Amino acid sequence: MSTFRMESGSHGPLDAPDASPSHAAAPEFAAAQEYTAAQDAFARCRHYRKDNGLYAVVDPALGRIVLEVGAVGAVVMPASLGAKVRALLTAGGRRGGPIIAHPRSGRWTFLTGPTDNSYLDMALFADLFRVCASVALPGSRIVLPSPADEHSGYRTWVAPPDRDYRPELPEVIAATRAATIPSKHE
């Protein structure tokens, strides 16, 4: 009488690849997740365009929502400085957003009204460079938070867009300069 012993797990030779249905479905599941993320990005992009006047597009290769700087300007800075700038901008009940957080790099991006030629001002460039801030150049791209970014914590809103409101670029620059002046108490 022969006995046959079955081990749990693989029923074939030890070095044979596992062909169980759960492993075969993994690529299909990943593709479905990518499709869902892309659809979510397109839906969010439509929302940005329709409700916020942010005429972004979805980059098909990356699935990211991209906005070209021009009609919308941007000032990028460390999050610690950004918190001070936001406090100055929101003083007196004013709106300070929209502001994008990049938690991994510890930076914030303030979206503003249309860009201007201030990026050509060397004194401004030096002031901002000294505090690790910059004005985004016309034609450069800003990535807006997508649902996938927000879920992963990669890119989130500190202050989401409020309809089509954006502070003017000179206002954000002035607040940035004011936030970097040491107070008498420091």
Side-chain angles (χ1 to χ4, degrees):
M1 173 174 178
S2 73
T3 58
F4 184 77
R5 186 172 150 192
M6 292 213 27
E7 299 286 331
S8 63
S10 176
H11 302 290
L14 295 177
D15 60 347
D18 189 356
S20 67
S22 64
H23 289 351
E28 293 170 2
F29 180 71
Q33 282 184 315
E34 288 177 22
Y35 176 80
T36 301
Q39 292 305 309
D40 289 347
F42 280 111
R44 176 70 63 87
C45 187
R46 280 191 298 277
H47 166 74
Y48 288 150
R49 293 172 72 90
K50 180 180 176 191
D51 298 337
N52 307 121
L54 297 170
Y55 295 100
V57 296
V58 176
D59 181 323
L62 301 174
R64 300 286 185 231
I65 303 170
V66 182
L67 176 70
E68 185 174 313
V69 172
V72 175
V75 181
V76 183
M77 63 191 69
S80 57
L81 175 57
K84 294 175 185 177
V85 171
R86 181 179 187 208
L88 290 171
L89 290 173
T90 58
R94 297 179 304 166
R95 296 181 281 182
I99 306 166
I100 303 167
H102 311 273
R104 292 183 185 175
S105 64
R107 299 186 65 76
W108 284 8
T109 301
F110 286 76
L111 298 184
T112 70
T115 191
D116 58 19
N117 290 334
S118 61
Y119 65 91
L120 299 172
D121 180 344
M122 288 297 115
L124 172 62
F125 176 83
D127 288 348
L128 295 179
F129 183 80
R130 181 177 50 79
V131 295
C132 299
S134 62
V135 173
L137 299 174
S140 61
R141 294 180 174 189
I142 301 295
V143 180
L144 302 178
S146 69
D149 288 338
E150 291 173 335
H151 179 71
S152 68
Y154 186 71
R155 189 176 291 107
T156 62
W157 288 109
V158 173
D162 181 7
R163 294 184 291 274
D164 64 352
Y165 172 79
R166 287 177 284 285
E168 293 301 319
L169 180 62
E171 183 181 3
V172 174
I173 290 170
T176 304
R177 282 178 154 163
T180 61
I181 298 171
S183 70
K184 294 177 184 179
H185 302 289
E186 290 183 18

